[in-house]
Amino acid sequence: MSVLTEKQILLGVTGSIAAYKSADLASKLMQAGAFVDVILSGSGEKFISPLTFQSVTGRRAYTDQDLWGNEAHVLHVGLGHSANLLIIAPCTANTLAKLAHGTADNLLTVTALAAQCPMMIAPAMDGGMFEAAATQDNLRTLMKRGVTVVGPAEGHLASGLSGKGRMIEPSEIIGYIRLVLGRKGKLAGKKVVVTAGGTQEALDPVRVVTNRSSGKQGYALAQAALDAGAEVCLITSPTSLTSPVGARVINVLSTQDMLDAVLSESGEALIMAAAAADFRPKHTATDKLKKRDGIPQIELEAAPDILKTVASSESRKKRFRITVGFAAESRDLIENAAEKLKSKGLDLIAANDISARDAGFAVDTNRVTLIFENGSKESLPLMSKAEVAEKIIDITARLLE
Ligand code: CTP
């Protein structure tokens, strides 16, 4: 169950070329488990047909014709009452102006006026129209009323010019939707620090010693914490992943950097999903190691253990009320993980068997056994990393109660 599961999203589509991206937005929301009802404005219909939306959502897409149909009287009120969120993407300068002034001259603006749910708009227009004083005033009016405005982004515009006016991408819009839907979640008002990825220990200015961690489990945890309404700080080494919308990101390279970043933060929970290096080169060459100088002998030393340092710091309970770790093991999973739970002073450890092909590093799924401070255990079946993350966040919230 993600924050989008079974949520009623009302998607308004108005007349901009960015309307073609709305079909992708509707599809992504559906795939994430939401029910999507679409309302097209008259000019929206000129860019994209209701059939396109019906095909991706499996539900009727409404147009202005429905305003005058038999069920019209209840329709505009009903849609806005049952929805968890109204998102208008793309939102033209014209619709934006109508919303600001309470004009209700088509099904979408009538519905918006009657809506009881949170509203979000993703403006899309020419750069000049966006910068125009009237548009800026209208935006301020809407924001003052609690409407969430996402974007627009800088870039190439339909006019051929470049400027601020592009609708932000559907995946980013979904990030904002998750933030709004999660606002009152079980971690609202709480701060969670998550670490992710494999750290990099430099040999010289170009070479590093690292590991196979993709960061996927850590990023999924950051997203799940945001979905639960938490303030999230994501401390990450370089990965190929896009950071979740709403997370404050601290980029680090080495285990020492990660330790410094963790120690600079505090919050209700620290979740250490990063594969921080245990060993690092004893010396980092200031210049690139050259072949002509022969094969280098690399001497390793211990890297700091982040969890142990946090556990041993005097202010541990002041810094984080609970700490959660991971144990990547290739044998004696439970024994090794239970030992780590103790030695690292954790409240919870998620143990995963890295010898399995479908779990652990770099893949999208994970199979973990959760071990609690009191010794109790819970073995989870093979799950997506997003589901594992939701489960760990649920437990974190419970432990914080
Ligand atoms: N960890 C840490 N600092 C390190 C290494 C690991 O804080 N330098 C954290 C990881 O983020 C994870 C937990 O400790 O949450 C366990 O990591 P793991 O690599 O499995 O354990 P190690 O301490 O490295 O133990 P071992 O070498 O015995 O596997």
Side-chain angles (χ1 to χ4, degrees):
M1 289 276 282
S2 89
V3 73
L4 283 162
T5 310
E6 291 179 8
K7 290 287 162 34
Q8 303 265 149
I9 308 290
L10 196 50
L11 168 62
V13 178
T14 67
S16 151
I17 180 58
Y20 79 92
K21 291 186 190 169
S22 307
D24 183 34
L25 174 62
S27 168
K28 285 195 162 85
L29 287 167
M30 283 286 299
Q31 286 170 45
F35 301 119
V36 184
D37 286 310
V38 174
I39 304 178
L40 288 137
S41 72
S43 35
E45 262 189 278
K46 296 211 166 84
F47 284 93
I48 191 162
S49 89
L51 183 63
T52 306
F53 289 103
Q54 273 160 214
S55 310
V56 293
T57 64
R59 295 160 80 86
R60 255 191 74 192
Y62 299 94
T63 66
D64 282 344
Q65 281 196 335
D66 299 298
L67 187 58
W68 309 110
N70 292 337
E71 50 177 344
H73 181 66
V74 281
L75 183 66
H76 64 272
V77 179
L79 284 172
H81 271 245
S82 56
N84 295 98
L85 178 90
L86 165 61
I87 157 90
I88 305 181
C91 184
T92 58
N94 186 37
T95 297
L96 207 146
K98 289 189 209 172
L99 294 171
H101 293 92
T103 306
D105 65 347
N106 60 18
L107 181 62
L108 177 60
T109 48
V110 170
T111 306
L113 201 56
Q116 303 287 309
C117 58
M119 197 191 322
M120 183 181 287
I121 58 168
M125 62 196 73
D126 163 68
M129 288 168 85
F130 181 70
E131 300 299 345
T135 305
Q136 290 298 315
D137 278 351
N138 291 334
L139 275 170
R140 270 190 291 274
T141 302
L142 291 174
M143 286 192 278
K144 236 188 285 160
R145 285 187 205 139
V147 173
T148 308
V149 179
V150 297
E154 295 259 353
H156 173 79
L157 300 171
S159 58
L161 301 171
S162 189
K164 198 167 178 189
R166 274 175 74 86
M167 185 174 91
I168 60 165
E169 294 303 315
S171 53
E172 206 183 342
I173 295 179
I174 291 182
Y176 286 107
I177 291 178
R178 297 178 83 121
L179 278 185
V180 171
L181 294 177
R183 232 155 25 190
K184 295 193 184 109
K186 35 180 142 11
L187 287 177
K190 304 215 157 62
K191 181 172 158 193
V192 176
V193 177
V194 179
T195 66
T199 57
Q200 299 186 353
E201 308 298 331
L203 279 168
D204 70 8
V206 292
R207 300 179 180 92
V208 296
V209 178
T210 186
N211 60 63
R212 291 184 200 278
S213 170
S214 62
K216 284 179 179 171
Q217 188 62 73
Y219 278 59
L221 280 156
Q223 181 64 66
L226 289 162
D227 286 352
E231 174 192 340
V232 173
C233 170
L234 173 64
I235 301 173
T236 178
S237 57
T239 69
S240 60
L241 306 171
T242 310
S243 6
V245 170
R248 180 165 56 85
V249 179
I250 302 182
N251 292 299
V252 297
L253 294 172
S254 67
T255 300
Q256 183 64 50
D257 296 344
M258 190 171 270
L259 172 64
D260 295 342
V262 167
L263 293 180
S264 71
E265 295 292 326
S266 60
E268 270 74 16
L270 168 67
I271 306 182
M272 278 287 303
D278 293 323
F279 318 109
R280 65 183 175 195
K282 195 164 182 184
H283 304 286
T284 303
T286 38
D287 293 311
K288 188 181 167 197
L289 297 168
K290 299 296 285 178
K291 243 188 335 239
R292 63 168 177 257
D293 297 330
I295 298 170
Q297 296 299 307
I298 300 165
E299 200 186 334
L300 298 173
E301 65 176 10
D305 188 307
I306 301 169
L307 279 173
K308 271 192 186 158
T309 313
V310 169
S312 65
S313 71
E314 270 184 27
S315 56
R316 145 87 168 86
K317 284 286 165 191
K318 260 192 246 153
R319 209 183 286 282
F320 300 105
R321 273 173 60 200
I322 69 161
T323 51
V324 178
F326 277 76
E329 304 292 344
S330 55
R331 63 190 158 105
D332 302 327
L333 180 73
I334 304 298
E335 296 73 8
N336 282 333
E339 203 281 315
K340 278 179 195 172
L341 176 94
K342 264 213 172 75
S343 67
K344 299 191 185 223
L346 304 174
D347 299 273
L348 173 71
I349 195 159
N352 59 327
D353 180 355
I354 50 163
S355 62
R357 273 171 179 271
D358 53 4
F361 281 15
V363 293
D364 288 326
T365 49
N366 216 349
R367 186 186 291 111
V368 306
T369 299
L370 302 174
I371 307 175
F372 295 81
E373 198 196 1
N374 65 9
S376 64
K377 294 180 199 61
E378 186 179 349
S379 289
L380 305 181
L382 187 70
M383 286 177 164
S384 69
K385 285 186 173 169
E387 288 166 327
V388 170
E390 282 161 27
K391 180 84 189 172
I392 291 174
I393 290 300
D394 265 357
I395 294 173
T396 303
R398 215 172 61 212
L399 294 175
L400 285 169
E401 267 165 19

